Amino acid sequence: MSKEIAVITLHGMGDYKPSYFDGLRKKLIKSLQDDWSKVAFIPVQYQPILQNNQNDIWQKMNRYPLDGAILRRFLLFGFSDAGSLEHSARSKVSDQYVQVQLEIIRALDEAYLKLGDSNKPVVIVAQSLGCQVISNYIWDSQNDLGVFNGLEPDAVQDVKKFRRLGSCVYLLTTGCNIPMFVGGLKPIKPIRKISDDFKWENYFDKDDVLGWPLSPLSDEYGELVDDHAINAGGIFTSWTPWSHGKYWTDKNVTKPLIKKIKAYI
């Protein structure tokens, strides 16, 4: 039986776990019950493209006595993700950047097979660096850049249409650090609104130094994105920077996501 809606997830920066989406998936299954069978749930796993080199660097750095190992590891695995992708995006040999976009295409191709129709709705949930990754992907798809500049795998036209996310109705971002990437740009412009049905909601915790509102970036962002300030996590984390890793299962995030999914199944 064909699925009715696709939910695509993208993880954030850092030394990620392949099962990063488990908590969210369990909440969706519990809430949707029988309707879960109508959902194509597909996680994007782009971190392995970057992590082998990071592991090698970490081992080399540990030859020296360094304090703050936990924080150092987080910064290395997190910000080298961001730095590598942004450098790659602007270089002539953009292997890593394109490889990440090809991983998104792989997930979308799988979603298309399960939906069987390029017009069926797609929902995207992105965390942290994943917000920048998917924003770049959509921007490139709208401007024939990145993988869409002659590097896209061959496919029938209906699949190519689906890859460009023309049927994406909802983008939910959490702990979003896009402002850290566009701070040096002027003017600052977001992706174009995909369709009349498209909605972008951004959730951030004021204690999360890596999570930012987006609407203040420019008038265009203000028109496109609805920001929501929440307390992510429990009593021990919601008031600390560690709230950055607690969005996936926070009810303030999962409730609107579930409501949106139910509206399309």
Side-chain angles (χ1 to χ4, degrees):
M1 182 179 70
S2 296
K3 306 292 186 180
E4 295 302 320
I5 188 170
V7 178
I8 310 293
T9 65
L10 291 93
H11 59 78
M13 63 175 59
D15 191 6
Y16 95 120
K17 295 179 175 63
S19 58
Y20 71 90
F21 53 85
D22 269 356
L24 174 63
R25 184 172 62 178
K26 288 175 182 176
K27 285 214 166 190
L28 294 181
I29 292 172
K30 182 178 180 180
S31 178
L32 295 172
Q33 298 182 23
D34 290 345
D35 282 336
W36 175 249
S37 64
K38 302 175 184 178
V39 178
F41 185 92
I42 303 170
V44 174
Q45 307 271 10
Y46 65 83
Q47 178 62 23
I49 298 167
L50 309 170
Q51 194 159 340
N52 286 340
N53 193 50
Q54 292 167 342
N55 284 330
D56 184 52
I57 291 173
W58 178 247
Q59 293 303 318
K60 290 176 179 177
M61 292 301 107
N62 275 322
R63 297 172 188 170
Y64 292 84
L66 298 171
D67 291 334
I70 293 176
L71 181 57
R72 284 179 183 273
R73 183 179 176 88
F74 172 77
L75 293 174
L76 171 65
F77 280 73
F79 285 93
S80 67
D81 285 350
S84 297
L85 289 177
E86 289 305 297
H87 169 75
S88 183
R90 289 162 176 78
S91 68
K92 292 182 179 179
V93 183
S94 50
D95 287 345
Q96 287 182 311
Y97 186 82
V98 169
Q99 286 299 315
V100 168
Q101 292 198 331
L102 287 172
E103 177 59 23
I104 297 173
I105 282 180
R106 183 210 62 76
L108 288 170
D109 285 356
E110 181 181 345
Y112 177 84
L113 288 174
K114 292 181 177 180
L115 295 174
D117 186 341
S118 64
N119 294 312
K120 285 187 177 178
V122 174
V123 167
I124 298 174
V125 185
Q127 153 73 0
S128 185
L129 178 61
C131 307
Q132 174 72 359
V133 169
I134 195 61
S135 177
N136 280 345
Y137 179 89
I138 297 172
W139 177 279
D140 288 351
S141 75
Q142 294 177 339
N143 295 280
D144 295 325
L145 299 171
V147 76
F148 297 101
N149 185 20
L151 300 172
E152 180 183 359
D154 193 29
V156 298
Q157 196 58 40
D158 208 40
V159 172
K160 287 189 173 183
K161 174 186 174 183
F162 188 75
R163 289 172 177 172
R164 290 176 182 257
L165 289 173
S167 66
C168 180
V169 294
Y170 190 47
L171 173 58
L172 189 158
T173 53
T174 62
C176 181
N177 34 52
I178 285 178
M180 299 170 66
F181 296 99
V182 301
L185 302 179
K186 193 172 182 180
I188 296 174
K189 292 184 177 294
I191 60 172
R192 298 191 298 273
K193 188 172 182 179
I194 293 173
S195 68
D196 290 340
D197 293 332
F198 177 76
K199 188 174 183 63
W200 184 348
E201 292 192 305
N202 178 57
Y203 292 82
F204 68 98
D205 189 311
K206 65 182 178 63
D207 300 302
D208 172 16
V209 296
L210 295 175
W212 297 73
L214 298 178
S215 55
L217 282 173
S218 66
D219 290 343
E220 291 90 344
Y221 265 103
E223 293 174 3
L224 182 64
V225 182
D226 291 333
D227 286 312
H228 304 275
I230 65 172
N231 282 317
I235 189 172
F236 297 110
T237 55
S238 63
W239 53 277
T240 74
W242 301 115
S243 59
H244 186 69
K246 302 299 180 181
Y247 293 99
W248 285 105
T249 55
D250 190 277
K251 64 181 180 181
N252 294 294
V253 173
T254 58
K255 280 187 175 181
L257 173 60
I258 291 166
K259 182 179 179 180
K260 179 65 69 171
I261 294 171
K262 285 183 175 180
Y264 284 94
I265 55 178

